[in-house]
Amino acid sequence: MFKRLTYGMVGGSKDSQIGIVHRKAINLHGKAELVCGSFSRNFKNTLATGKELKIEEKRLYRNYEEMAEEESKRPDKIDFVSIVTPNSSHYEVAKKFLESGINVMCEKPLTITLKEAEELKQLARKNNLLFAVAYSYTGYSMLRYARELIKRGEIGEVRFINGRYISEWMAKVPFAGKNARHEWRSDPKVSGLSNCVADIGVHVNNVVSFLTGLKIKTLIARMDKFVEPDRLDDNASILINYDNGAEGIYWTSQIAVGHENTLDIGIYGAKGSIEWSQEHANYLKISKVNHPFITLSRGSEKVDDFIKNDYVTPGGHQEGYVEAFARVYDKFINAITKKKKGELLEQRDLDFPTIEDGVDGMRFIEKCIESAEKGASWVEF
């Protein structure tokens, strides 16, 4: 029997929200064990986190450089690293581990520039390493089933797409310097070129691409700075033209009072439509011309077995964010395991958000910024 993989984490100390989510997601299927880390720039925090997670002190590192170098020398080096640091450090950390021969899972956005993202893509290819990006929503069962229905032509050719990811947290906190956990997101020195579009707008773009396979041809974006005019965007409205002639509109916001974490996607085709909401993730609303709409649950007999085979809990039980995230990790870990056994990977083995998705996300961010800086003008993608 093939033993569990091992992994390390950069960032994600015991007080980190997203680091805890990543660890829970990996633990859900029990296929990988956390054995090392550099969880904080403050080594005392790394030691405290490592102690809490029962990691040997000799595999707790002062920084990511030391971690990558020391792990690469070990006969039992980690199989992958999970990078859960703020945006500005993603490129350097990922680059160091790729150069050290270690597979990477990185939080989104992949980097803070498209150029950096392209460099990581080339380095991963050169060193024959797997690279996943934490676009976690693609792990939801009913989104994966929606992709299958669209692929089969159930709603016909896609004509229009409506996507929104809206939340209220920036409206609730007058926060420059007052909310240490989130304040960095609007700081260009740490967050990069964008806050709202880079943080949650990329999820809309990624989910739409995941569902439809359509490529953006042109876009026009208006990016707003309501809370902190001298910092980064907190709201954006984006119009899209796709390569098949379809059109779309995305709204992404962190100042939408009354919304905690609303991700809604509607795909409208010539024969029907499919709608999904993250806050009601168990269900798809499916409508067809001249038929009453139906609400399909993940427990329905109509849902294909290959979708159900990935269920952690049976239909009728709510599928949550950590389960969806765990499915992304599970696909990534399975691919590493297969590759480690010397088996040839097929395209179906790469059914997780890859480095190419990360690069596409960075292109989306930069094109939105380019359009906004031109006074909300159409730009080629």
Side-chain angles (χ1 to χ4, degrees):
M1 184 176 180
F2 204 75
K3 66 179 183 178
R4 288 197 298 173
L5 300 188
T6 59
Y7 79 100
M9 182 169 281
V10 178
S13 67
K14 60 189 181 71
D15 297 321
S16 162
Q17 183 182 45
I18 196 63
I20 292 171
V21 170
H22 277 256
R23 290 193 289 271
K24 286 180 177 179
I26 295 168
N27 287 342
L28 195 61
H29 291 94
K31 296 179 180 179
E33 178 185 4
L34 179 61
V35 297
C36 70
S38 177
F39 300 105
S40 171
R41 289 188 176 92
N42 184 329
F43 190 49
K44 288 183 179 179
N45 288 345
T46 289
L47 290 174
T49 302
K51 183 177 181 180
E52 190 172 287
L53 296 171
K54 297 179 173 56
I55 298 172
E56 291 182 279
E57 189 170 329
K58 66 181 179 181
R59 295 184 81 171
L60 298 173
Y61 301 100
R62 293 184 178 275
N63 51 59
Y64 73 86
E65 295 99 334
E66 181 186 49
M67 178 174 159
E69 289 168 7
E70 292 301 316
E71 285 296 318
S72 68
K73 298 173 186 175
R74 295 178 63 100
D76 61 345
K77 74 175 182 179
I78 52 173
D79 294 296
F80 70 93
V81 65
S82 177
I83 301 170
V84 292
T85 58
N87 306 352
S88 61
S89 60
H90 289 177
Y91 169 72
E92 291 296 342
V93 179
K95 180 181 178 184
K96 183 66 177 179
F97 279 90
L98 290 175
E99 289 173 340
S100 301
I102 295 170
N103 301 297
V104 174
M105 162 68 87
C106 185
E107 256 300 332
K108 35 57 51 188
L110 176 56
T111 52
I112 58 172
T113 69
L114 177 59
K115 182 176 181 292
E116 289 179 344
E118 291 280 11
E119 287 180 15
L120 291 181
K121 175 182 170 181
Q122 295 305 317
L123 184 57
R125 285 182 175 178
K126 175 185 174 184
N127 291 350
N128 191 28
L129 294 166
L130 292 174
F131 197 125
V133 181
Y135 286 123
S136 51
Y137 295 106
T138 60
Y140 276 105
S141 297
M142 294 309 278
L143 265 186
R144 299 177 82 82
Y145 187 52
R147 176 181 64 169
E148 184 64 22
L149 294 177
I150 293 168
K151 192 183 297 184
R152 291 176 189 170
E154 292 288 334
I155 64 170
E157 184 178 20
V158 175
R159 290 173 169 172
F160 194 83
I161 296 168
N162 183 25
R164 64 174 187 165
Y165 194 156
I166 57 177
S167 60
E168 65 180 357
W169 67 271
M170 284 189 73
K172 295 168 67 176
V173 185
F175 60 79
K178 296 181 181 179
N179 188 326
R181 175 176 284 183
H182 298 304
E183 195 267 337
W184 66 267
R185 294 188 181 278
S186 65
D187 183 351
K189 293 179 181 178
V190 185
S191 194
L193 300 174
S194 166
N195 169 30
C196 186
V197 171
D199 187 27
I200 56 179
V202 290
H203 275 301
V204 178
N205 179 60
N206 179 253
V207 169
V208 169
S209 176
F210 173 81
L211 288 173
T212 67
L214 296 180
K215 305 297 183 184
I216 296 174
K217 186 177 180 181
T218 57
L219 64 76
I220 185 170
R222 184 181 66 195
M223 298 170 68
D224 308 303
K225 303 176 182 181
F226 289 114
V227 178
E228 297 178 295
D230 60 337
R231 306 251 295 189
L232 294 174
D233 53 297
D234 49 40
N235 188 81
S237 310
I238 306 160
L239 293 175
I240 310 284
N241 289 322
Y242 301 95
D243 57 355
N244 76 328
E247 299 176 357
I249 182 169
Y250 302 163
W251 174 31
T252 182
S253 180
Q254 291 158 327
I255 51 89
V257 176
H259 292 269
E260 292 179 344
N261 195 63
T262 302
L263 172 59
D264 297 334
I265 304 291
I267 311 294
Y268 304 92
K271 293 162 53 178
S273 66
I274 293 178
E275 297 174 349
W276 179 85
S277 172
Q278 191 267 155
E279 292 178 334
H280 305 281
N282 267 25
Y283 306 99
L284 287 180
K285 179 183 175 183
I286 303 174
S287 306
K288 294 190 177 182
V289 175
N290 297 325
H291 289 80
F293 76 83
I294 63 170
T295 300
L296 191 67
S297 77
R298 64 191 285 269
S300 170
E301 292 179 357
K302 294 183 178 180
V303 178
D304 290 10
D305 285 343
F306 81 90
I307 300 291
K308 292 181 177 180
N309 288 341
D310 282 340
Y311 286 1
V312 175
T313 55
H317 297 273
Q318 289 295 318
E319 181 173 73
Y321 176 67
V322 172
E323 287 173 83
F325 213 145
R327 187 165 291 114
V328 170
Y329 261 112
D330 192 45
K331 303 292 184 185
F332 178 55
I333 290 168
N334 287 346
I336 295 174
T337 301
K338 186 173 181 179
K339 186 168 178 284
K340 193 173 181 181
K341 289 179 179 179
E343 298 175 21
L344 187 65
L345 293 181
E346 300 176 42
Q347 190 59 41
R348 63 184 180 183
D349 296 315
L350 304 177
D351 194 15
F352 54 85
T354 65
I355 186 76
E356 285 78 11
D357 296 297
V359 170
D360 185 70
M362 286 312 306
R363 182 174 289 107
F364 177 72
I365 294 165
E366 290 200 359
K367 289 300 179 179
C368 285
I369 293 168
E370 180 185 341
S371 172
E373 289 179 345
K374 291 180 177 178
S377 298
W378 287 102
V379 296
E380 297 283 335
F381 198 76

